[in-house]
Amino acid sequence: MALYEHVFLARQDLAQAQVDALAEAATKIIEDNQGKVVKTETWGLRSIAYRIAKNRKAHYVMLEIDAPAGVVAELERQTQINEDIIRYMTVKVDALEVGPTVMMRKGDRDRDSRRGGDRGDRPDRGDRPRRDFDGE
């Protein structure tokens, strides 16, 4: 069977319980068609780059799937029908990520930077040559 990552964005006005129900519905579709959901991650309510159907934010959910291609086709068909999901994307991957994904580790990285995380040696601004804007 092939490995996939399926990410969907749910409307911002949904409660977290409704978003979890959408993830469970996707899991049921996959398992009913002889597939397996390896991992489910809810990335939370996040801002999106541009408005989609009057939504400025969306609930992000990612499913790591081990299933045949027909399962993905059925999952995407059901996702298109659902009015609560505003965008989705399924990507075939060579291997599933072990442990938390980058989106989940981002919070750890942000906490480290607030504590003055290691940025390495950086030169002072005085060490750089000065450039004029008028080409001289």
Side-chain angles (χ1 to χ4, degrees):
M1 288 195 275
L3 303 173
Y4 299 93
E5 288 182 355
H6 177 77
V7 179
F8 66 85
L9 281 63
R11 289 190 346 230
Q12 65 187 2
D13 59 343
L14 297 179
Q16 187 60 45
Q18 292 171 303
V19 175
D20 293 340
L22 288 173
E24 298 227 358
T27 301
K28 184 175 180 341
I29 292 168
I30 294 163
E31 290 174 351
D32 287 348
N33 291 298
Q34 287 75 42
K36 184 173 80 169
V37 175
V38 178
K39 180 170 49 173
T40 303
E41 283 187 359
T42 303
W43 296 341
L45 184 65
R46 305 177 58 85
S47 295
I48 51 181
Y50 54 90
R51 264 192 214 184
I52 302 172
K54 298 183 181 178
N55 291 287
R56 292 184 182 270
K57 294 184 175 192
H59 293 274
Y60 284 67
V61 178
M62 193 226 13
L63 304 170
E64 290 186 352
I65 303 167
D66 184 7
V71 175
V72 173
E74 177 62 18
L75 176 63
E76 289 184 345
R77 187 184 74 75
Q78 293 286 338
T79 302
Q80 283 178 335
I81 295 170
N82 196 327
E83 294 177 356
D84 291 334
I85 297 176
I86 56 177
R87 284 286 189 277
Y88 69 91
M89 182 170 64
T90 307
V91 180
K92 186 175 183 179
V93 294
D94 294 329
L96 297 175
E97 199 167 338
V98 177
T101 59
V102 173
M103 293 298 289
M104 297 302 282
R105 291 191 307 252
K106 185 175 185 271
D108 298 337
R109 186 176 67 230
D110 289 345
R111 272 185 261 125
D112 289 343
S113 66
R114 282 187 293 233
R115 285 185 279 181
D118 183 27
R119 296 181 130 202
D121 294 332
R122 294 177 55 183
D124 293 332
R125 289 195 70 75
D127 295 346
R128 297 183 202 151
R130 185 166 191 269
R131 297 185 182 193
D132 293 327
F133 290 106
D134 48 334
E136 297 177 15

